[in-house]
Amino acid sequence: MDKIVVTGGVALEGEVRISGAKNAVLPILCATLLADGPVEIGNVPDLHDVRTTARLLRGLGAEVEHAADAAVVRVDPRPASGHVAPYELVRTMRASVLVLGPLLARHGAAEVSLPGGCAIGSRPVDLHIRALETLGAEITVEHGYIKARAGRLRGGEVKFDMVSVGATENVLMAATLAEGTTTIDNAAREPEIVDLAACLVAMGARIEGAGTSRIVVHGVDALHAARHQVIADRIETGTFLVAGAITRGRVVATHARPDTLDAVLAKLREAGADIEVDGDRIALDMRGRRPRAVDIVTEPHPGFPTDMQAQLMALDCIAEGTGTIDERIFENRFMHVNELMRLGAHIDIDGHRATVTGVERLTGAPVMATDLRASASLILAGLVAEGETTIDRIYHLDRGYEHIERKLSGLGARIRRIAA
């Protein structure tokens, strides 16, 4: 199993090109199953989860051409006749459950293994199931599989008890081919939802309100071939901007989407960063200053994203002052705390709140990644720790960051990947 070794002490400087969004491309790839012609997806990042999704689509019978060097995936779903998403693929990636809605809408049947992925919380699929039942599906859960059947789905009124990105995506996709109109209340508002809706509209779907808490879908008889460019990854963007801030450097993120990062940019400014936005470029400059500690509360979009919580915690670890972090999305998302403390961080946990008292310096040590964003936080801490920090179990990183060590090296970081 590969490891990453970081030698701290370099202020990062330079430009970094942002890749397509992991959290957008996975549901979009699943959505291609709804079409009756080829769908070409551009700005696709070279990630393990993308390759897993491609294998899943092929396993269902779709033809998938994936040119990673060209960042393009072309899916022809017409040969797809399978409706079973097996445990062997689904167990590593929770996003696999997003084939449930498309398979049910297009083929009237779906069997999808209960999902796996990062161990950061329960993230139950009951919201997905209840929403699809509202559209007329008959669903049972047995032997570790969600088994769904339906004739043509019917439009209905879906009201979520809590905001769920995945459940919103699943019912949004299914509703495009349902008979009649579907309303989704308390829908997730994330930019990735908007991007999925844009792809579906390019395929011929009729969708109103994506990006708001109420989405209306007017079902159509068929979706057609289309092309779509995936939105820039706001979490990758935020991670590289924090890398600049934590090292007191200057980093410019290019090919970004600043309009998706309001909450993160506000906190970085509060931490003392000078930030300038010019089109798709975001320039962060700390001018050699030590960051100031910031308080964050994770919330659904447009609030502060839970996927940036670990990175801001790393920043607080070496900041001036004390910051509090309230995690209100996932119950197990403080697993990186013990690893940060191995580097010398001062962190106290009380339920869903972490109190971080900044220290003058961290020191390198062997640490272990527990999930995708925790992996990034340990790299960030390693960038400022004295000596070497060795990060084990980095397979999480390859699920969500495209060539992160190569991009950081381009900014001056002393970072390398080694084979275990």
Side-chain angles (χ1 to χ4, degrees):
M1 191 180 299
D2 289 356
K3 300 179 182 181
I4 280 183
V5 179
V6 185
T7 303
V10 176
L12 300 192
E13 185 169 351
E15 294 188 358
V16 58
R17 182 186 177 110
I18 301 303
S19 301
K22 163 191 177 287
N23 289 338
V25 71
L26 301 183
I28 285 171
L29 288 172
C30 294
T32 64
L33 292 169
L34 293 162
D36 61 8
V39 180
E40 185 174 289
I41 309 300
N43 199 31
V44 176
D46 182 20
L47 302 174
H48 185 271
D49 276 9
V50 169
R51 294 189 289 273
T52 299
T53 304
R55 289 199 302 272
L56 176 57
L57 296 179
R58 290 189 187 103
L60 294 169
E63 295 178 358
V64 182
E65 299 174 15
H66 183 193
D69 56 341
V72 173
V73 174
R74 185 178 184 273
V75 182
D76 188 344
R78 289 173 294 184
S81 58
H83 63 273
V84 179
Y87 173 74
E88 290 72 29
L89 289 176
V90 176
R91 68 184 176 88
T92 64
M93 188 180 65
R94 285 184 177 268
S96 301
V97 76
L98 295 177
V99 298
L100 180 61
L103 287 175
L104 194 56
R106 185 73 194 279
H107 301 290
E111 292 188 20
V112 180
S113 173
L114 291 169
C118 289
I120 59 173
S122 59
R123 296 197 278 193
V125 297
D126 59 321
L127 294 173
H128 302 245
I129 292 172
R130 289 201 299 269
L132 292 170
E133 286 176 336
T134 300
L135 303 188
E138 297 179 359
I139 302 178
T140 59
V141 179
E142 54 187 43
H143 307 299
Y145 276 80
I146 306 166
K147 298 184 178 182
R149 297 289 186 274
R152 185 177 182 186
L153 296 173
R154 304 181 305 274
E157 296 183 1
V158 175
K159 184 174 179 61
F160 288 117
D161 296 332
M162 58 181 289
V163 175
S164 168
V165 173
T168 299
E169 291 168 337
N170 235 335
V171 72
L172 173 61
M173 290 185 283
T176 61
L177 293 181
E179 182 178 2
T181 297
T182 299
T183 59
I184 308 171
D185 284 313
N186 201 25
R189 301 164 59 188
E190 272 69 7
E192 294 79 17
I193 299 283
V194 178
D195 203 35
L196 172 62
C199 181
L200 291 168
V201 168
M203 294 159 59
R206 297 174 58 203
I207 300 169
E208 303 162 4
T212 74
S213 59
R214 181 179 174 85
I215 301 175
V216 179
V217 185
H218 304 285
V220 297
D221 291 333
L223 298 181
H224 51 67
R227 292 182 177 179
H228 180 75
Q229 288 285 114
V230 175
I231 192 174
D233 195 316
R234 61 194 172 105
I235 305 303
E236 185 195 34
T237 306
T239 300
F240 281 110
L241 293 176
V242 172
I246 200 171
T247 62
R248 309 188 189 189
R250 183 180 188 277
V251 168
V252 180
T254 70
H255 300 82
R257 278 287 300 271
D259 59 317
T260 66
L261 282 159
D262 289 346
V264 173
L265 296 182
K267 286 300 174 183
L268 288 171
R269 288 189 174 103
E270 189 179 327
D274 293 337
I275 295 178
E276 295 183 1
V277 174
D278 181 12
D280 66 358
R281 296 167 60 89
I282 307 172
L284 177 143
D285 194 346
M286 289 301 292
R287 304 189 186 279
R289 298 185 294 255
R290 182 184 182 188
R292 296 189 295 267
V294 295
D295 300 332
I296 65 170
V297 178
T298 65
E299 295 175 318
H301 192 79
F304 191 90
T306 180
D307 279 355
M308 282 298 303
Q309 178 255 104
Q311 297 91 312
L312 263 291
M313 181 181 287
L315 183 72
D316 274 353
C317 286
I318 54 84
E320 182 179 351
T322 298
T324 59
I325 297 174
D326 288 279
E327 175 54 65
R328 296 186 179 179
I329 306 297
F330 293 124
E331 67 271 22
N332 293 337
R333 210 162 200 179
F334 282 152
M335 292 188 293
H336 48 282
V337 166
N338 288 336
E339 302 305 302
L340 288 170
M341 291 174 68
R342 287 177 53 79
L343 303 178
H346 289 180
I347 307 171
D348 293 314
I349 300 293
D350 183 9
H352 295 292
R353 169 171 286 191
T355 301
V356 186
T357 302
V359 297
E360 291 281 350
R361 66 187 182 95
L362 299 174
T363 54
V367 291
M368 183 175 295
T370 54
D371 61 70
L372 171 57
R373 307 306 173 184
S375 306
S377 75
L378 296 175
I379 288 179
L380 293 172
L383 290 172
V384 292
E386 294 182 358
E388 283 192 349
T389 299
T390 302
I391 303 153
D392 203 353
R393 294 180 65 186
I394 61 164
Y395 59 85
H396 294 291
L397 271 175
D398 297 328
R399 292 184 48 236
Y401 287 95
E402 184 176 43
H403 312 308
I404 189 170
E405 70 274 18
R406 187 185 308 170
K407 290 186 176 185
L408 285 170
S409 293
L411 297 172
R414 293 179 289 185
I415 181 172
R416 68 187 190 277
R417 181 182 294 243
I418 59 174

